[in-house]
Amino acid sequence: MFVVFSPKGLQGPLRRVVFVTLYELLAIACASGLFVLLGQQPAASGAMAVVASAIAVAWNIGFNHLFERWEARQSVKGRSVRRRAVHALGFEGGLALVLVPLMAWWFGIGLWQALVLEAGLLLFFLAYTYVFNWSFDRVFGLPAAAQ
């Protein structure tokens, strides 16, 4: 598929679809590789990465919907550092509540090992998300809201 970009870059719903698709495909590949490097079987690692990706996308949609509904009812508008931190902690904490026991069961490891694995993934994904966003903006241009 050939996409023609406007002078302002890829915009609108297509930008979000391309972003999520590329982000998750690369994330699945990276997470699978990390699981294998940590001693898990390749098939189980790939399957767990796909399941974790699907859970993360669903949680992202649901959590952000609820967060934005809560946010709309607040008297103080805008996103302060505190509000952004609460958002990030809520998102990652909720995701960990699901993924830690799932990974423990999936890989046949203890909850502590799964928690350490999740913490490692979190650190990896902090860097990955930063680099991916920067790279995406370089390739596809900035979103209209940032121009």
Side-chain angles (χ1 to χ4, degrees):
M1 178 173 124
F2 182 73
V3 178
V4 178
F5 300 109
S6 73
K8 294 188 176 206
L10 184 61
Q11 301 296 326
L14 180 59
R15 179 185 179 85
R16 288 187 286 281
V17 169
V18 171
F19 180 92
V20 169
T21 302
L22 290 175
Y23 181 93
E24 292 302 328
L25 288 174
L26 287 170
I28 288 167
C30 291
S32 296
L34 288 171
F35 291 145
V36 169
L37 286 173
L38 295 172
Q40 301 304 322
Q41 295 299 316
S45 297
M48 181 69 241
V50 170
V51 169
S53 175
I55 291 169
V57 169
W59 175 239
N60 186 301
I61 292 166
F63 179 80
N64 284 323
H65 174 73
L66 293 173
F67 186 85
E68 288 169 9
R69 284 184 58 199
W70 169 83
E71 192 173 39
R73 294 190 313 269
Q74 302 308 301
S75 59
V76 176
K77 300 300 179 191
R79 291 194 172 166
S80 64
V81 171
R82 181 173 184 232
R83 189 169 289 179
R84 289 181 187 277
V86 167
H87 179 271
L89 290 171
F91 176 79
E92 292 299 337
L95 189 57
L97 282 174
V98 174
L99 291 182
V100 168
L102 179 62
M103 285 191 292
W105 171 77
W106 195 280
F107 291 133
I109 59 177
L111 285 174
W112 177 252
Q113 290 172 299
L115 183 62
V116 170
L117 183 58
E118 175 64 20
L121 286 173
L122 175 63
L123 292 175
F124 169 79
F125 275 101
L126 283 172
Y128 168 75
T129 300
Y130 181 87
V131 171
F132 182 87
N133 276 284
W134 178 82
S135 300
F136 189 87
D137 289 344
R138 297 277 301 180
V139 171
F140 295 104
L142 291 173
Q147 293 182 23

